[in-house]
Amino acid sequence: MKVLFIGDIVGSAGRRALKENLPALKSAHRPDFIIVNGENAAGGKGITAAIANEFFEQGVHGITMGNHTWDNKDIFEFIDDEPRLIRPANYPAGTPGEGTVTLKADGKELMLINVMGRAFLPPLDCPFRTLDKLLDKSKKRPKAVFVDVHAEATSEKIAIGWYLDGKVSAVVGTHTHVQTNDEQLLPNGTAYITDVGMTGSREGVLGMEREAVIRKFLTQLPVRFIADEGKYQFHGVVVNIDDTTGLATSIKTIRIYEGEFKMH
Ligand code: FE2
């Protein structure tokens, strides 16, 4: 099976990038599953039910989140009724929503997991041990497993990649909004990239209006960040998975820039 994973969609520029590019990517790659990280989709902070539904209507199968999961209060109204949207699995017990879902399409099944790193981020439960529990061999689960590690530190994401090598189909990083060029197949068959990158304005700072971010660095005063609406970039990866083994056979990055087209 083929999975198209799209990196952090930020604000209206990111949503426009998705709308304008998804049809061509669908015909070029014919993905069985399309997954997006949507934690910055609503103005850069959180997601609303309307935006999640817009993604599903465009053919997205699953949405992952991260440290901005709760920024838009709308989430509390729908997260428990929308299993296709997951938040990091290592939030403390009792947190609304789930950290994993089995996606189904055309007779294929893909287990999607979201965990969050703890370096420079809130001290959630241990992501390694959370993954151990979710991947417990005694539980029945699909062969293909796709993991979004939402984390700041490259070391933490690389460590999780090695920890899961041979146990899951893919480990992809999100959160830094900068695509890394270390996409690879680990020796035991897990596809890996430290960060998929960002789908949003490339004229701001990580998708947010650059003037506000610069002011923050210059003054250290409280500044309200809002999503930038400039020209977009679209960052993602396409992962091929062998249905019989559940291991990956390839991982390729996708980078599209508004006004200039470049596809890998
Ligand atoms: Fe994040």
Side-chain angles (χ1 to χ4, degrees):
M1 72 174 72
K2 228 182 218 187
V3 180
L4 168 63
F5 184 98
I6 299 154
D8 310 32
I9 295 178
V10 181
S12 59
R15 303 200 306 272
R16 188 163 57 83
L18 186 74
K19 208 168 278 174
E20 288 184 17
N21 291 284
L22 206 47
L25 288 167
K26 277 188 203 166
S27 35
H29 297 283
R30 307 214 162 278
D32 299 287
F33 293 99
I34 300 168
I35 302 159
V36 303
N37 181 288
E39 70 146 9
N40 304 115
K45 289 176 176 177
I47 193 167
T48 62
I51 291 172
N53 286 330
E54 181 188 302
F55 290 164
F56 293 134
E57 277 160 26
Q58 289 174 71
V60 168
H61 299 84
I63 301 174
T64 55
M65 299 292 283
N67 54 307
H68 291 295
T69 302
W70 319 111
D71 285 3
N72 191 303
K73 301 297 170 254
D74 213 32
I75 190 94
F76 294 104
E77 303 300 320
F78 72 95
I79 193 167
D80 283 321
D81 303 317
E82 181 45 84
R84 294 173 293 175
L85 180 145
I86 59 171
R87 45 76 176 162
N90 51 332
Y91 269 112
T95 303
E98 297 289 339
T100 183
V101 62
T102 292
L103 303 172
K104 292 176 187 169
D106 296 329
K108 300 197 180 200
E109 285 193 351
L110 177 71
M111 182 184 192
L112 176 64
I113 300 175
N114 190 193
V115 290
M116 194 152 89
R118 296 188 292 185
F120 314 113
L121 283 169
L124 304 189
D125 294 347
C126 173
F128 294 83
R129 292 180 178 88
T130 300
L131 287 160
D132 282 345
K133 274 184 217 154
L134 292 172
L135 297 169
D136 182 351
K137 282 211 180 84
S138 63
K139 288 183 198 152
K140 203 178 170 293
R141 60 168 170 83
K143 275 222 160 81
V145 182
F146 203 98
V147 182
D148 170 4
V149 181
H150 196 79
E152 181 75 44
T154 49
S155 59
E156 200 171 13
K157 290 190 260 194
I158 292 167
I160 291 176
W162 283 117
Y163 192 67
L164 296 183
D165 182 23
K167 295 181 188 153
V168 301
S169 316
V171 174
V172 304
T174 56
H175 178 69
T176 69
H177 292 198
V178 177
Q179 188 176 80
T180 54
N181 71 346
D182 61 342
E183 75 277 11
Q184 61 193 284
L185 289 179
L186 296 174
N188 293 315
T190 295
Y192 177 81
I193 185 167
T194 298
D195 208 290
V196 175
M198 185 264 292
T199 297
S201 171
R202 62 184 165 97
E203 299 186 302
V205 176
L206 307 184
M208 308 306 275
E209 273 188 9
R210 61 184 184 236
E211 291 78 10
V213 179
I214 293 168
R215 202 175 332 122
K216 173 77 185 171
F217 279 115
L218 282 172
T219 67
Q220 299 301 326
L221 288 168
V223 170
R224 200 170 148 254
F225 292 161
I226 46 171
D228 194 67
E229 291 181 6
K231 286 200 185 82
Y232 64 69
Q233 64 181 47
F234 181 111
H235 282 180
V237 288
V238 175
V239 178
N240 258 302
I241 300 166
D242 181 330
D243 290 346
T244 54
T245 63
L247 295 172
T249 54
S250 69
I251 175 167
K252 269 189 170 184
T253 53
I254 291 172
R255 294 194 292 274
I256 301 166
Y257 297 94
E258 192 173 24
E260 169 204 345
F261 190 81
K262 194 177 175 191
M263 191 187 279
H264 292 253

